[in-house]
Amino acid sequence: QMQLVESGGGLVQPGGSLRLSCTGSGIYFTLYTMRWYRQAPGKERELVASIFNRHSTSYADSVKGRFTISRDDPKKTVYLEMNSLRPEDTAVYYCRGDRSGVTTNWGPGTQVTVSS
């Protein structure tokens, strides 16, 4: 079972940028599609971005053009580059992997707050 830990969150001003990291463990990291989710208080957890490889990525409409997902398999890490941040991006961000219908556990999440 792969364990994941998110990091890189913090407080940023509207229009600012932040890069989140999610680091896994184990020898099967490359087999997983990796995904970033976020959840704000009172809202459902939503899928933000997904990546299987550099040629296969997808984004929620709300972040398309502003966020970029990438991965570094030797480092067992997936990144979320967040640009042009808005207050509505404020949430706890989580990562999770899946393959063949099986999902990893959630990581602990990292808080992103966009406020002036």
Side-chain angles (χ1 to χ4, degrees):
Q1 188 73 262
M2 184 165 66
Q3 303 299 312
L4 302 169
V5 179
E6 303 92 341
S7 63
L11 174 64
V12 296
Q13 292 184 310
S17 299
L18 206 60
R19 188 166 99 152
L20 307 182
S21 298
C22 171
T23 299
S25 62
I27 63 174
Y28 299 112
F29 184 86
T30 60
L31 300 179
Y32 287 82
T33 296
M34 299 301 300
R35 309 184 195 273
W36 282 99
Y37 300 77
R38 66 186 182 188
Q39 186 168 29
K43 294 185 177 180
E44 298 286 334
R45 188 169 298 186
E46 63 175 339
L47 177 64
V48 175
S50 303
I51 183 169
F52 180 67
N53 57 47
R54 63 188 299 171
H55 307 294
S56 182
T57 60
S58 62
Y59 299 90
D61 288 342
S62 59
V63 307
K64 195 171 300 180
R66 300 187 299 120
F67 291 9
T68 302
I69 189 170
S70 61
R71 66 192 297 163
D72 186 339
D73 288 339
K75 295 176 63 176
K76 299 179 181 179
T77 300
V78 61
Y79 303 97
L80 187 67
E81 180 69 35
M82 309 163 68
N83 300 310
S84 302
L85 283 163
R86 306 165 180 168
E88 52 263 42
D89 295 317
T90 295
V92 178
Y93 284 71
Y94 302 88
C95 67
R96 192 172 71 172
D98 59 87
R99 56 176 290 266
S100 300
V102 177
T103 62
T104 69
N105 293 323
W106 295 107
T110 186
Q111 176 73 49
V112 172
T113 302
V114 185
S115 176
S116 59

